[in-house]
């Protein structure tokens, strides 16, 4: 069958199954504000909670490119943590001390050296590590690729998604994503994204 998009609300994870969670799924878990609607986020949260309660731990593979995107999104100048810092007493004091500078400067000169950043960053890491011992890190495998591989990359996927798909194929892992652009044939993808699910000719049950 051309597409294998599986509705996350009906999907039953198997004991010991391998998963790669896309960055948007991690962000739903770590930061509720990243989902504009509760109905968009909640199925993923329910799914991840179910994973943590399986008798035999599933394995969640975490590629470096996904962890990097998650942390950059959370702690970017437009992210919730930095914006809350700006509104705090510490942030206001930093603004007064540094004067009229851009937010990028405040991020680098005031927030990142601040104890608050380390505490908030480590709290995020602890939430990710809640999947331990089921969590396995994957290093960047780009250095294993050659020029011919790049020329054969799936055109419909952006570069990071293509890497995620390659790693999932290599480890026989199921991808969980809410990315409506994650268009790939003949590969199981668990999702709550209506655009992806509508590509199936008939509903699929996991």
């Amino acid at each position: 069958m051309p597409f294998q998009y599986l509705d996350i609300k009906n999907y039953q994870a198997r004991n010991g199954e391998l998963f790669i969670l896309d960055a948007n799924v991690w962000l739903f878990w770590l930061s509720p504000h990243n989902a504009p609607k509760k109905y968009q986020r909640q199925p993923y949260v329910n799914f991840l909670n179910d994973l943590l309660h399986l008798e035999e731990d599933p394995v969640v593979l975490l590629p470096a490119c996904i962890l990097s995107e998650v942390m950059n999104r959370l702690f970017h100048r437009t992210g919730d943590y930095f914006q809350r810092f700006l509104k705090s007493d510490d942030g206001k004091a930093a603004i007064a001390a540094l004067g009229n500078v851009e937010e990028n400067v405040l991020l680098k000169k005031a927030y990142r050296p601040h104890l608050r950043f380390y505490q908030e960053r480590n709290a995020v890491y602890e939430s990710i590590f809640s999947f331990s011992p089921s969590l396995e890190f994957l290093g960047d495998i780009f250095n294993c690729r050659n020029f011919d591989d790049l020329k054969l990359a799936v055109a419909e996927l952006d570069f990071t998604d293509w890497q995620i798909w390659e790693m999932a194929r290599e480890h026989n892992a199921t991808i969980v994503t809410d990315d409506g652009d994650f268009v790939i044939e003949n590969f199981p993808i668990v999702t709550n994204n209506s655009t992806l699910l509508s590509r199936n000719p008939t509903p699929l049950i996991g």
Side-chain angles (χ1 to χ4, degrees), residues 72-86:
N72 286 340
R73 289 270 297 277
L74 287 175
F75 293 98
H76 189 263
R77 64 182 178 82
T78 60
D80 293 335
Y81 289 103
F82 177 60
Q83 291 300 317
R84 285 200 295 267
F85 171 75
L86 292 180

Side-chain angles (χ1 to χ4, degrees), residues 145-164:
R145 312 262 178 238
N146 58 48
F147 185 62
D148 288 334
D149 289 333
L150 291 176
K151 291 190 293 183
L152 294 173
V154 178
E156 290 84 355
L157 298 177
D158 68 28
F159 185 80
T160 300
D161 289 344
W162 173 65
Q163 276 206 296
I164 293 168

Side-chain angles (χ1 to χ4, degrees), residues 82-103 105-107 109-111 114:
F82 177 60
Q83 291 300 317
R84 285 200 295 267
F85 171 75
L86 292 180
K87 296 174 184 177
S88 69
D89 291 341
D90 290 330
K92 293 174 182 177
I95 292 171
L98 291 173
N100 186 24
V101 296
E102 295 182 351
E103 285 192 350
V105 176
L106 290 169
L107 177 69
K109 299 290 187 180
Y111 179 53
H114 200 279

